[in-house]
Amino acid sequence: DSGVTQTPKHLITATGQRVTLRCSPRSGDLSVYWYQQSLDQGLQFLIHYYNGEERAKGNILERFSAQQFPDLHSELNLSSLELGDSALYFCASSVGGNGRDTQYFGPGTRLTVL
Amino acid sequence: AQSVTQLDSQVPVFEEAPVELRCNYSSSVSVYLFWYVQYPNQGLQLLLKYLSGSTLVKGINGFEAEFNKSQTSFHLRKPSVHISDTAEYFCAVTRGNQGGKLIFGQGTELSVKP
């Protein structure tokens, strides 16, 4: 158990809908990262928050947004869903926000868009 | 742009045999290097990382990796594998000035047979 929790574990929804994925980092970690894992794209970095502020963005679609709240949990919002958004979404957390820090991954949320 | 190449998508091996999973990276600047393991239906777990210093890095579960700057490689090795090592292995890099953004390789599926 990494100490990072993600809810829900599974999500099945229809095209055009909006969903929210939730992540709670390990106690004491200030950084939260979101990654998408799909068969065709592999593991892709989406976005990084550190202590409530956005630090870096990857190839995150405009339909996707995220935020980190004062209690440090984070939410990833996906809207106008398309079939191609079906993937495993991971959240990771680390103590700091630099490249040396170990990132601890949650179990993921499997999103299926029908 | 920096990229990570895992040279083998699948590696089948018999139990108690040695194994090497290959990883090459491209970057014009210094990077930090990581190996993660993903067991079926689970999140990613850090095996080991290279930040600086000794080029031979020892990790969990008997794995080790060697950083070779001239060949831009970071191959993962284990002298004797177990059935329980069956999993997907990911090589990843970060750059210090890009925060914690992890760039992953495509993964290597290690299959250990009795």
Side-chain angles (χ1 to χ4, degrees):
Chain A
D1 184 359
S2 67
V4 178
T5 60
Q6 290 187 248
T7 56
K9 284 187 103 168
H10 302 277
L11 202 46
I12 301 174
T13 187
T15 54
Q17 295 298 304
R18 174 190 168 93
V19 297
T20 297
L21 312 184
R22 183 189 166 100
C23 167
S24 292
R26 292 187 326 153
S27 176
D29 284 359
L30 297 178
S31 272
V32 168
Y33 306 83
W34 286 97
Y35 294 89
Q36 180 194 58
Q37 185 178 33
S38 62
L39 281 174
D40 51 343
Q41 299 286 331
L43 269 161
Q44 299 281 321
F45 167 77
L46 294 177
I47 199 161
H48 169 206
Y49 277 86
Y50 177 79
N51 204 20
E53 292 190 8
E54 183 184 301
R55 270 289 180 91
K57 255 183 176 178
N59 294 328
I60 186 168
L61 300 170
E62 283 194 14
R63 301 183 285 108
F64 295 4
S65 65
Q67 53 184 326
Q68 186 180 27
F69 295 87
D71 67 352
L72 301 176
H73 91 271
S74 177
E75 291 180 356
L76 179 67
N77 299 295
L78 316 177
S79 61
S80 302
L81 285 167
E82 301 174 1
L83 295 177
D85 297 328
S86 294
L88 199 47
Y89 291 84
F90 286 110
C91 163
S93 73
S94 67
V95 171
N98 68 56
R100 301 171 65 91
D101 295 332
T102 296
Q103 292 183 31
Y104 296 86
F105 282 74
T109 293
R110 184 171 294 281
L111 174 66
T112 303
V113 182
L114 302 175
Chain B
Q2 107 195 21
S3 69
V4 179
T5 302
Q6 291 184 241
L7 296 155
D8 306 294
S9 59
Q10 293 181 320
V11 173
V13 64
F14 287 106
E15 194 173 18
E16 297 183 7
V19 72
E20 178 179 81
L21 306 184
R22 297 179 293 167
C23 172
N24 284 90
Y25 67 93
S26 66
S27 178
S28 57
V29 297
S30 296
V31 297
Y32 304 121
L33 296 149
F34 303 78
W35 275 99
Y36 279 87
V37 60
Q38 184 179 26
Y39 298 103
N41 300 313
Q42 293 187 28
L44 283 78
Q45 180 184 7
L46 181 72
L47 280 175
L48 47 79
K49 66 181 180 182
Y50 173 79
L51 302 180
S52 64
S54 172
T55 57
L56 183 63
V57 182
K58 293 194 183 296
I60 62 171
N61 301 340
F63 283 93
E64 62 181 33
E66 184 144 26
F67 169 61
N68 188 318
K69 189 173 181 179
S70 62
Q71 296 188 5
T72 59
S73 69
F74 190 53
H75 300 335
L76 181 71
R77 301 185 185 103
K78 185 168 182 177
S80 174
V81 293
H82 302 290
I83 299 285
S84 59
D85 292 323
T86 295
E88 185 110 26
Y89 291 79
F90 292 93
C91 181
V93 304
T94 62
R95 285 175 58 177
N97 62 354
Q98 285 192 351
K101 173 185 173 182
L102 277 166
I103 306 294
F104 286 93
Q106 285 298 104
T108 297
E109 188 181 329
L110 175 65
S111 176
V112 182
K113 303 177 187 307

